[in-house]
């Protein structure tokens, strides 16, 4: 069975401390629970979680849904938003984990990338250097979410195929967001090397597509 890799890049900088990061934890649980109820997703979807603040951490390497043990994601007291470092880490993981097609076998389906942040990348130069490298990896869709009043869609435009805005950073908002991400993932299964991105399902009212 060909795998559908899904990478989640989650902002855990100091500004996400408290209710926002707890809402993200709730949203991820909702997403994984919903995907596990989809027989096709249960057979194909593999999830990786990478967090970024002053450092970038591979919290969960690419893991099958039925084997996934969800971590409880936390944040430091304060700190920067090193999204560029997270993208460099992501590139290393994708090259190591995603199976490419060869003449002898079909590899994984084109992976999905979901990036959530509430602020501008602190390592802007590195972020700008990494964006074309990430886009060259052959993702079926790169979806960005800017959450809260300080986040701007312009910050993720160089990286993402689509950017959505989430005004409220509470549990209800993030739950709606991850349910929508679930629907997008369920429409995956696109071969590596496809020239156009996968279309997205209509978002709920709490979420605005801004790109």
């Amino acid at each position: 069975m060909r795998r559908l890799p899904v990478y989640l890049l989650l902002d855990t900088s100091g500004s996400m401390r408290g209710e926002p990061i707890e809402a993200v934890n709730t949203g991820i649980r909702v997403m994984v629970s919903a995907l596990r109820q989809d027989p096709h997703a249960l057979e194909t979807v593999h999830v990786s979680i990478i967090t970024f603040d002053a450092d970038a951490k591979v919290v969960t390497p690419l893991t099958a849904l039925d084997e996934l043990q969800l971590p409880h994601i936390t944040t430091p007291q304060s700190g920067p938003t090193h999204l560029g470092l997270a993208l460099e880490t992501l590139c290393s993981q994708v090259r190591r984990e995603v199976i490419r097609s060869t003449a002898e076998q079909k590899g994984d389906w084109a992976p999905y990338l979901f990036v959530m942040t509430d602020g501008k990348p602190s390592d802007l130069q590195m972020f700008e250097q990494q964006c074309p490298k990430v886009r060259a990896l052959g993702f079926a869709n790169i979806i960005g979410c800017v959450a809260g009043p300080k986040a701007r869609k312009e910050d993720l435009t160089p990286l993402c195929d689509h950017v959505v805005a989430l005004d409220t950073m509470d549990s209800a908002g993030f739950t709606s967001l991850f349910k929508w991400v679930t629907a997008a993932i369920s429409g995956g299964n696109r071969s590596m090397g496809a020239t156009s991105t996968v279309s997205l399902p209509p978002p709920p009212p709490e979420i605005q597509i801004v790109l």
Side-chain angles (χ1 to χ4, degrees), residues 5-177:
V6 176
Y7 287 87
L8 306 179
L9 258 63
L10 304 177
D11 185 344
T12 51
S13 59
S15 55
M16 288 292 294
R17 188 171 179 81
E19 184 180 6
I21 199 64
E22 292 306 320
V24 168
N25 278 297
T26 298
I28 293 174
R29 287 194 296 271
V30 168
M31 182 191 77
V32 170
S33 176
L35 286 171
R36 283 174 171 163
Q37 294 174 38
D38 178 339
H40 185 65
L42 192 59
E43 287 186 337
T44 59
V45 171
H46 286 57
V47 176
S48 172
I49 300 173
I50 298 172
T51 60
F52 57 97
D53 39 65
D55 196 7
K57 305 181 187 70
V58 181
V59 178
T60 304
L62 200 63
T63 305
L65 269 181
D66 60 350
E67 299 175 2
L68 186 63
Q69 299 289 323
L70 280 180
H72 185 77
I73 298 168
T74 59
T75 66
Q77 292 281 356
S78 61
T81 306
H82 285 167
L83 179 52
L85 179 60
L87 294 182
E88 183 181 56
T89 303
L90 168 74
C91 287
S92 298
Q93 290 298 111
V94 170
R95 293 189 186 106
R96 183 181 305 118
E97 294 175 334
V98 176
I99 300 169
R100 302 279 168 166
S101 293
T102 66
E104 291 76 29
Q105 67 169 10
K106 287 187 175 181
D108 292 329
W109 296 107
Y112 271 63
L113 173 59
F114 171 71
V115 184
M116 189 283 299
T117 183
D118 73 338
K120 187 181 185 69
S122 304
D123 54 349
L124 188 56
Q125 183 176 359
M126 187 172 190
F127 171 75
E128 291 173 345
Q129 291 171 348
Q130 292 298 321
C131 283
K133 296 179 182 179
V134 172
R135 295 192 64 85
L137 290 173
F139 281 96
N141 225 322
I142 302 177
I143 303 168
C145 173
V146 289
K150 295 182 180 179
R152 306 178 307 157
K153 65 177 174 57
E154 293 83 3
D155 296 333
L156 291 182
T157 301
L159 173 66
C160 298
D161 300 308
H162 304 280
V163 179
V164 300
L166 185 65
D167 292 333
T168 60
M169 297 175 66
D170 56 15
S171 183
F174 278 113
T175 297
S176 293
L177 173 67

